[in-house]
Amino acid sequence: MSRLIVVSNRTPGKGPAAGGLAVALRKTLAEREGFWFGWSGKLVETPAKEARFDDVDGLSVAQIDLNRDDHQAYYAGFSNSILWPSFHLRLDLATIEGHWYEGYRRVNAQFARSLLPLIKPGDIIWVHDYHLIPLASELRALGVRNRIGFYLHIPFPTLDALYAIPNHQQLMQDLSRYDLIGMQAQRDISAFNEFVEHHSPPDLAGNEPQFIDFGRTEVAAFPIGSDPEAFAKLAVSSAATKMIKRMEPVLGKQTLILGVDRLDYSKGLPQRVEAYEKLLANDARFRRNVHMLQVAPPSRDSIKEYQEISETLDAMCGRVMGRFAEPDWSPLTYVKRAYGQASLAGLYRLAKVGLVTPLRDGMNLVAHEYVGSQDPKDPGVLVLSRFAGAAEIFDTALLVNPFDTDETAEALRMALDMPLDERISRWQSLMEAARKHSVENWSKSFLDRLTPSTPPKASTRDFLYLASVA
Ligand code: ADQ
């Protein structure tokens, strides 16, 4: 079997905190041989060209350091202040600084130069996410002819949002250098096809865009998932039970509504709190009988828009507390910290409503984890945004438009009033879908498609180009 090289911005760290993606790919790497390549997390003046190999809990990891200015332009700049907001249709939150693109390309070129000597003929290369769109182009420019696949974890933008991204034409050209592009949902494939079928507008100087040939690139949806069986076990583990026991005396008879997210403006947190406020305002019988817990550890907090969403959420939670709290009842708890997977599984199991309402999301794994953690005899209800990729899979969730807080408030009411037999039948379909779309099936189906049916023989030319750059 061909070796696998996984490339992502960061490599997985040590310890049990690793996410489902790391666990699934670790398993695949153990079966296939290969390694994971990415940034070490270190910033230095002049990075060494050679990658350092390390063993991370049995996983072979190759890492490079980055220059501080390049990293700023590549990560906080082009990736997270231009690509992330645009791909999530938040052009109002994008900041465009022309020079960031140069840093983005420099880092991608550095990834390619350091990876090149480690590639053997026949290796399969799997590149992850929007930070590394140009990597195949950079590798091809150095002579690499291996099969290279790309997986986009976030949604693909609509045409207008794509046209708003500086150098989008070049980025699309870069995508055409991959053999396989995987996206989360059919919605993303449709948006991608729209670009392919339309002619981009000319630039300021009147230059018509070049034709991009996607003839050698296969594009398909590979919806990512979690490991629902693992969450089912975790939810009854001693660590999860400890969390449940910690919460039960505080909750008493109140029903728990739970949100778990990275603190990010794409997750729709202010709208979610507003919907909860409307639930309490519309129906007095829920006051003192429900409690909302929102867990949202800060992320990317060097970026202004992330500081702002944090402040907005603080203010909204304060407003709901001020409006409804009583000396002996508080309507919500807002926790800005991360928890281990077992503690999260305990919270998921305790919550009778999983409130997952991003404004736009590639997939949303919290929805999968919530489903996996439920008690089959007394499951909770998933209230899910139509604009999460997960909505294409979980059609028996209560699907809502997260911008319409009246609708989300009504879905909360329906979830809280839902009889047990309906909860069970909805959950059974959700669990079936979560099993079908497990992270293991996801990585297997992507790699089956990327791996050629007959592995290419190493040709003299393959060795020649490797020798010439060594
Ligand atoms: P994210 O935007 O990070 O991922 P999501 O899919 O929800 O969003 O994954 C979040 C992960 O972080 C989950 O595994 C969750 O358990 C964990 N997490 C969230 N809050 C936590 C907390 N307080 N403590 C500990 N862990 C927490 C991106 C895309 C998504 C896509 C994934 C995977 O934005 O759309 O589903 O990649 O492809």
Side-chain angles (χ1 to χ4, degrees):
M1 203 188 288
S2 35
R3 289 196 326 164
L4 172 66
I5 302 174
V6 176
V7 189
S8 61
N9 171 48
R10 291 297 303 271
T11 55
K14 285 192 167 59
L21 173 69
V23 173
L25 291 181
R26 184 190 296 267
K27 213 163 147 187
T28 314
L29 279 167
E31 286 162 5
R32 280 189 171 239
E33 288 188 27
F35 57 93
W36 198 312
F37 183 94
W39 175 45
S40 62
K42 288 203 188 90
L43 296 172
V44 296
E45 196 56 44
T46 316
K49 187 169 167 255
E50 292 77 31
R52 292 184 304 276
F53 272 89
D54 196 3
D55 183 288
V56 176
D57 299 339
L59 176 73
S60 176
V61 166
Q63 295 179 319
I64 54 169
D65 304 332
L66 293 177
N67 168 274
R68 187 175 298 278
D69 290 344
D70 280 355
H71 178 260
Q72 163 67 22
Y74 148 81
Y75 184 77
F78 199 77
S79 296
N80 284 314
S81 294
I82 298 182
L83 294 181
W84 177 275
S86 309
F87 279 43
H88 286 87
L89 307 187
R90 293 305 303 271
L91 293 173
D92 55 322
L93 299 181
T95 306
I96 296 183
E97 295 217 14
H99 67 98
W100 284 341
Y101 179 68
E102 308 307 323
Y104 179 72
R105 282 222 88 91
R106 266 198 305 281
V107 169
N108 272 271
Q110 186 190 340
F111 264 62
R113 281 194 307 274
S114 299
L115 183 55
L116 184 70
L118 310 178
I119 301 171
K120 293 184 184 164
D123 285 353
I124 296 290
I125 304 169
W126 188 1
V127 179
H128 287 263
D129 233 356
Y130 57 103
H131 318 85
L132 298 173
I133 291 171
L135 188 58
S137 275
E138 298 293 346
L139 287 169
R140 302 270 184 237
L142 297 173
V144 173
R145 295 201 310 282
N146 299 56
R147 299 271 297 168
I148 312 180
F150 177 78
Y151 191 77
L152 182 67
H153 288 259
I154 64 176
F156 194 81
T158 58
L159 263 194
D160 281 353
L162 183 60
Y163 290 165
I165 298 171
N167 308 95
H168 66 270
Q169 192 70 15
Q170 182 56 49
L171 293 172
M172 293 304 286
Q173 187 94 50
D174 291 332
L175 281 178
S176 74
R177 308 309 305 278
Y178 287 96
D179 297 292
L180 175 63
I181 299 173
M183 301 204 188
Q184 299 274 20
Q186 286 304 332
R187 154 203 76 182
D188 305 312
I189 302 298
S190 306
F192 179 86
N193 286 339
E194 222 189 321
F195 174 85
V196 176
E197 287 157 15
H198 284 73
H199 196 65
S200 293
D203 66 16
L204 190 61
N207 300 314
E208 289 291 334
Q210 277 182 348
F211 170 73
I212 301 176
D213 181 5
F214 282 101
R216 58 167 285 177
T217 307
E218 195 187 346
V219 186
F222 296 87
I224 199 172
S226 72
D227 183 344
E229 305 298 349
F231 268 88
K233 285 197 193 113
L234 262 186
V236 291
S237 66
S238 57
T241 309
K242 201 170 147 196
M243 176 55 99
I244 292 173
K245 293 259 169 288
R246 209 172 130 190
M247 290 287 295
E248 274 173 345
V250 186
L251 279 177
K253 290 204 170 73
Q254 297 168 77
T255 304
L256 182 64
I257 300 171
L258 176 68
V260 173
D261 308 78
R262 256 184 331 97
L263 184 43
D264 190 293
Y265 50 75
S266 65
K267 303 293 181 185
L269 298 174
Q271 290 84 349
R272 190 179 303 177
V273 174
E274 188 174 292
Y276 180 60
E277 183 179 13
K278 285 184 174 173
L279 172 83
L280 297 179
N282 295 346
D283 203 333
R285 83 196 149 94
F286 291 120
R287 293 180 215 154
R288 307 184 73 90
N289 288 318
V290 293
H291 187 84
M292 177 169 164
L293 170 62
Q294 176 62 54
V295 183
S299 64
R300 304 174 194 164
D301 48 9
S302 66
I303 299 173
K304 180 172 75 37
E305 285 71 21
Y306 284 78
Q307 294 155 11
E308 284 170 2
I309 187 71
S310 178
E311 283 161 21
T312 305
L313 197 55
D314 291 351
M316 300 248 351
C317 291
R319 187 176 83 193
V320 174
M321 291 291 280
R323 184 166 172 199
F324 293 106
E326 295 181 43
D328 59 344
W329 180 62
S330 99
L332 66 81
T333 307
Y334 170 30
V335 186
K336 279 183 166 175
R337 53 165 290 191
Y339 288 93
Q341 282 197 328
S343 301
L344 280 186
L347 290 175
Y348 291 142
R349 192 164 180 110
L350 191 59
K352 286 295 154 232
V353 183
L355 192 49
V356 183
T357 52
L359 304 180
R360 195 164 160 86
D361 216 331
M363 170 54 59
N364 195 294
L365 291 179
V366 169
H368 284 253
E369 295 167 5
Y370 178 75
V371 169
S373 303
Q374 293 310 297
D375 177 354
K377 294 199 185 74
D378 185 17
V381 179
L382 177 64
V383 175
L384 177 64
S385 163
R386 290 179 189 286
F387 307 130
E392 285 189 12
I393 290 161
F394 292 146
D395 55 1
T396 56
L398 292 181
L399 296 179
V400 297
N401 168 6
F403 296 93
D404 181 348
T405 53
D406 288 321
E407 186 179 82
T408 308
E410 173 57 9
L412 278 172
R413 187 204 60 74
M414 286 168 67
L416 290 163
D417 285 341
M418 193 177 285
L420 179 64
D421 56 347
E422 185 179 349
R423 281 193 275 129
I424 291 178
S425 82
R426 282 180 184 267
W427 173 78
Q428 283 173 343
S429 308
L430 295 175
M431 189 62 177
E432 201 179 311
R435 284 195 187 106
K436 183 172 161 207
H437 294 283
S438 71
V439 68
E440 200 170 337
N441 289 346
W442 165 78
S443 80
K444 188 172 176 324
S445 58
F446 187 91
L447 287 170
D448 283 352
R449 199 82 78 88
L450 183 59
T451 308
S453 40
T454 46
K457 291 200 181 73
S459 69
T460 329
R461 268 187 76 195
D462 287 324
F463 287 118
L464 270 181
Y465 82 69
L466 283 170
S468 66
V469 293

